[in-house]
Amino acid sequence: MHRPVAEKGFSLVEVVITIVIIGVALTAAIAGWGNIARHSSDVMWQTRVSYLGQAYLEEILSRRYDELTPAGGSPLCDPCTAEGSFGPDGSETRETFDDVDDYHGLTENAVGLFNSLVTAGGIQSYNGYQVSVQVQYAGDSYFSASNHELVKQIVVTVTPPQNTGQNPVQFSALRGNY
């Protein structure tokens, strides 16, 4: 009696189906890796934005409350500078700002924070970052209308370079008259 020989191997249909499944899986994997690679530097951009926002707020908050407030903060200014008069006083420059509202309207390339280091050849990695500052009295949403001039709201907006794909980030703080 003659027994049929068992066939070994794959049929053409099985090979084609395997190739299609592997092709779809590789396409999905490569697309995922591309997305990961495209966003791998996001953490670096976000860290720089956070650092700049914090550095500007710290610098501004270290200044006295108002031009009319003494360095120790007491007595309270009465009356305080009118909000329409916010900005540098007279011939003040960024280096000579002495109170919080001097920073109102400041817009600069972020390396302005590091002027002494930039002239020495450092901090070039912050080129392209723009920083703008707005100062206003905190509105009635924070305090009663009679106390609104006791607190200023500082908003620092940091805009990363255009080629990063990141959005501007706002940092906000309140500065009391104490």
Side-chain angles (χ1 to χ4, degrees):
M1 176 170 244
H2 187 310
R3 289 188 147 178
V5 177
E7 294 182 25
K8 295 183 179 178
F10 298 103
S11 70
L12 181 59
V13 172
E14 292 172 327
V15 171
V16 169
I17 290 173
T18 302
I19 290 173
V20 168
I21 291 172
I22 290 174
V24 169
L26 282 176
T27 302
I30 291 172
W33 287 329
N35 192 30
I36 289 170
R38 192 170 31 258
H39 294 289
S40 65
S41 65
D42 286 358
V43 173
M44 178 187 67
W45 299 118
Q46 293 164 356
T47 301
R48 287 183 182 166
V49 165
S50 296
Y51 174 73
L52 287 171
Q54 172 113 15
Y56 272 84
L57 278 178
E58 285 180 7
E59 176 185 341
I60 296 167
L61 292 172
S62 71
R63 302 299 189 253
R64 61 188 177 171
Y65 177 81
D66 197 281
E67 192 68 38
L68 304 172
T69 302
S74 183
L76 302 178
C77 59
D78 186 23
C80 297
T81 302
E83 191 167 346
S85 300
F86 284 1
D89 303 311
S91 62
E92 283 183 324
T93 63
R94 169 110 169 55
E95 291 74 27
T96 59
F97 287 172
D98 60 352
D99 60 278
V100 170
D101 62 70
D102 288 345
Y103 289 88
H104 178 69
L106 175 70
T107 300
E108 67 180 3
N109 190 321
V111 295
L113 181 66
F114 310 108
N115 278 337
S116 61
L117 295 173
V118 170
T119 55
I123 315 300
Q124 294 304 315
S125 59
Y126 286 94
N127 274 335
Y129 286 86
Q130 293 293 315
V131 177
S132 62
V133 180
Q134 297 299 316
V135 179
Q136 62 191 12
Y137 284 115
D140 296 336
S141 60
Y142 290 106
F143 304 98
S144 68
S146 62
N147 292 331
H148 79 280
E149 287 189 355
L150 297 178
V151 176
K152 292 179 182 172
Q153 181 182 22
I154 300 119
V155 178
V156 174
T157 304
V158 180
T159 306
Q162 294 281 328
N163 63 350
T164 65
Q166 301 291 312
N167 294 321
V169 178
Q170 286 190 337
F171 300 85
S172 182
L174 297 175
R175 173 69 161 86
N177 188 6
Y178 53 87

